[in-house]
Amino acid sequence: MAMETILFGALADASRLRMVELLRHGPLTVGEIAARLALRQPQASKHLRVLLDAGVVNVEADANRRRYLLRGEAFRALDGWLAAYLRLEDDRMARLADYVGGLHPGACRRGRTNEQDE
Amino acid sequence: MAMETILFGALADASRLRMVELLRHGPLTVGEIAARLALRQPQASKHLRVLLDAGVVNVEADANRRRYLLRGEAFRALDGWLAAYLRLEDDRMARLADYVGGLHPGACRRGRTNEQDE
DNA sequence: CATAAACATTCCTTGACAGGAATATTCCCT
DNA sequence: AGGGAATATTCCTGTCAAGGAATGTTTATG
């Protein structure tokens, strides 16, 4: 099965998506996640397992407890996949340049366009 | 259920993902899609129905046949959702400014950052 | 008007997945 | 060493979704 399919499958669940939203603010242990989402610990562990297998999160073993944290690489991969479809409308580029230009006023040099296709 | 969950669920299937990849090159009819993906027509119709409900595609009725095409709005929504997670690393912004700057050399004015959060 | 083409929808069956309860494992503390 | 906390895993069950086959619906064509 395709790489993206697994990633989308991992995110295609309400509880797991809430987990990801939670972890956006920083790493959390299983117990903390279960508590904040009103889940029972086994279900939390199982969902985290799916997210782990999909490469969405990582684990850091801290003695008794395990700290889960978001894995930026997965989101960057998704962004790369998405780029091909966002090119369908070019006007987006103007707004994007506007946005990024506001963050990095001095970064307006020209470069290669970082393309990869099927 | 959350909006994103439905979208991810629609993309969390190998056949549907292949359909999306196909439609990236332009609109196609059900028969064409079924033929190129070696699917039977009913399954193709069912999968397209899911993509339609999720807002991934649109339909244009052309007499006997129906032409399906990608709906950019869905991908832009995904991109908006993704933006919050890509901000985890700032270095991406530099590369993005580089990329966009190459496409729009004169678009480097400053603007608002278009934020929305939970 | 009858027939065929292009889709959509239904019914049925099977496999995958989520939730619950219980259990196993690892680690800290006294 | 014993007990308890934190986490992972297993078993079981119900539900949902995918695939197959058949059928319904609309539109063009002879």
Side-chain angles (χ1 to χ4, degrees):
Chain A
M1 188 158 41
M3 187 71 196
E4 297 93 359
T5 306
I6 298 180
L7 177 57
F8 287 133
L11 297 174
D13 179 273
S15 296
R16 287 194 291 264
L17 201 55
R18 291 172 64 202
M19 284 184 176
V20 172
E21 307 270 6
L22 251 189
L23 291 175
R24 189 159 83 76
H25 306 310
L28 290 175
T29 69
V30 176
E32 293 168 332
I33 295 173
R36 304 200 190 186
L37 298 186
L39 292 176
R40 307 180 195 270
Q41 176 266 317
Q43 332 298 341
S45 286
K46 281 189 276 190
H47 282 306
L48 287 167
R49 169 85 163 154
V50 175
L51 291 175
L52 185 64
D53 290 343
V56 178
V57 299
N58 265 350
V59 213
E60 287 175 0
D62 177 20
N64 213 5
R65 50 195 67 186
R66 308 218 170 165
R67 192 166 307 273
Y68 283 84
L69 46 95
L70 283 187
R71 197 171 129 89
E73 190 177 314
F75 297 98
R76 263 181 281 128
L78 219 179
D79 188 54
W81 181 85
L82 200 58
Y85 298 90
L86 293 172
R87 261 194 311 254
L88 295 178
E89 302 114 47
D90 292 326
D91 72 306
R92 184 188 107 96
M93 289 303 162
R95 293 185 290 103
L96 204 54
D98 194 18
Y99 170 58
V100 177
L103 293 181
H104 289 250
C108 252
R109 64 196 185 283
R110 57 175 56 247
R112 58 276 163 297
T113 59
N114 184 25
E115 291 290 320
Q116 77 258 8
D117 227 334
E118 56 180 302
Chain B
M1 186 160 42
M3 187 71 196
E4 296 92 0
T5 306
I6 298 180
L7 177 56
F8 287 133
L11 298 174
D13 179 274
S15 297
R16 286 194 292 264
L17 202 56
R18 291 171 65 199
M19 284 184 176
V20 172
E21 307 269 7
L22 250 188
L23 291 175
R24 189 159 82 77
H25 307 309
L28 290 175
T29 69
V30 176
E32 292 168 333
I33 295 172
R36 302 199 192 187
L37 299 184
L39 291 176
R40 308 178 195 268
Q41 176 266 318
Q43 333 297 341
S45 285
K46 281 189 275 190
H47 282 306
L48 286 167
R49 169 84 163 154
V50 176
L51 291 175
L52 185 65
D53 290 343
V56 178
V57 298
N58 266 350
V59 212
E60 287 174 1
D62 177 20
N64 215 3
R65 51 196 66 186
R66 308 220 170 163
R67 192 166 307 274
Y68 282 83
L69 45 95
L70 283 188
R71 195 171 130 91
E73 189 177 315
F75 297 97
R76 261 180 283 127
L78 219 179
D79 188 55
W81 180 86
L82 242 186
Y85 298 90
L86 292 173
R87 258 193 314 251
L88 295 178
E89 302 115 47
D90 292 325
D91 73 305
R92 184 187 107 97
M93 286 304 162
R95 292 185 291 104
L96 203 54
D98 195 17
Y99 169 57
V100 177
L103 293 180
H104 289 249
C108 254
R109 64 195 185 282
R110 57 173 56 245
R112 57 275 161 302
T113 59
N114 184 25
E115 291 291 319
Q116 76 256 6
D117 227 337
E118 55 179 303

